[in-house]
Amino acid sequence: MEDTPANANRRRAAPRFIDRDTVVHAALEVFSAQGFHGASTRQIAKAAGTSLSNLYNYFGSKSEILEFVLEETARTLADSLEEAVGAAGTDPLSRLEAAVRAYVDFIVAQPRASVVGITEFRYLEGENRAEVVTERDRTEAVFRAAICDAAAAGECEVRNLGSAVRGVVTLCNSMSTWYRPDGELSPAELADLQVDLVFGLVRAAKRPASSD
């Protein structure tokens, strides 16, 4: 076939392979701007730089894309917390502080993923929802273990472990709804604030030192 300008344009416009990161980035861009119901697979395909038909080669529906994105981001968060806690040593409050700081780091680094994970999770159903819940349970388990051990060691005082864990997770989650990259506080100051709030919530015996 003759290499005409029209043929070259068709080649440039041909659907390209879409990798995991491309799909996640594109879907987060669209879901954060439009919400799940307002978003369309066509918009996601456009943001990913591919065709709608090519996107459907990998995902059967918009719900599948949402599940994929939320599971991927929930897994990334859980991995980050587990890694941070593993490096923090055996002291329960040090582990709790490390988990909170890792959560703040995740929100600062991935604000879209954080807010979509909070606001759009309600639209998942059935097996799609269960997969994301499994990853979220890993994050909760990190906080539960640290708070449970701190209470057993007399380093904090909680009347009900389940309520304390839910309170801490909710406090960390909530940052995604109000965090702004151009806000007055630096990431380090935000982490200090969140750690102080968490330690107050579990009535820790000591307060963490500022990161400054």
Side-chain angles (χ1 to χ4, degrees):
M1 179 182 294
E2 185 180 355
D3 191 13
T4 65
N7 290 334
N9 287 337
R10 279 198 294 271
R11 283 202 304 276
R12 285 196 294 270
R16 65 181 176 82
F17 174 75
I18 49 176
D19 60 22
R20 179 182 299 265
D21 289 342
T22 299
V23 175
V24 170
H25 179 79
L28 286 174
E29 178 183 334
V30 176
F31 286 143
S32 63
Q34 306 291 337
F36 176 72
H37 281 310
S40 70
T41 50
R42 187 176 301 278
Q43 290 172 319
I44 295 172
K46 181 178 180 181
T50 190
S51 69
L52 182 60
S53 59
N54 193 42
L55 186 66
Y56 278 130
N57 285 331
Y58 301 93
F59 302 97
S61 67
K62 187 171 66 171
S63 292
E64 285 188 15
I65 299 174
L66 180 65
E67 185 273 332
F68 174 81
V69 169
L70 293 191
E71 183 180 355
E72 182 73 10
T73 54
R75 181 184 297 111
T76 300
L77 174 60
D79 288 346
S80 299
L81 266 62
E82 290 175 353
E83 181 179 356
V85 167
T90 59
D91 177 66
L93 289 183
S94 294
R95 285 157 44 206
L96 180 59
E97 178 176 353
V100 175
R101 291 188 182 279
Y103 207 127
V104 172
D105 289 343
F106 174 79
I107 292 174
V108 170
Q110 302 193 47
R112 284 178 175 169
S114 303
V115 73
V116 169
I118 295 299
T119 60
E120 309 307 304
F121 173 73
R122 55 186 166 168
Y123 297 117
L124 291 181
E125 298 179 350
E127 292 184 2
N128 288 346
R129 186 182 183 92
E131 294 293 336
V132 178
V133 168
T134 296
E135 295 302 325
R136 288 187 165 200
D137 285 347
R138 290 175 55 203
T139 290
E140 181 175 312
V142 169
F143 287 111
R144 179 178 294 274
I147 295 170
C148 181
D149 290 349
E155 295 185 10
C156 72
E157 181 184 352
V158 295
R159 294 183 179 179
N160 181 279
L161 177 62
S163 295
V165 173
R166 285 192 295 274
V168 168
V169 172
T170 299
L171 191 154
C172 290
N173 285 343
S174 69
M175 180 180 162
S176 64
T177 65
W178 55 259
Y179 168 70
R180 297 292 180 272
D182 58 352
E184 295 181 359
L185 299 181
S186 68
E189 290 171 329
L190 286 170
D192 288 342
L193 173 63
Q194 290 293 91
V195 170
D196 187 64
L197 290 172
V198 166
F199 273 41
L201 192 154
V202 300
R203 289 178 285 191
K206 60 181 181 181
R207 288 303 230 233
S210 170
S211 60
D212 293 339

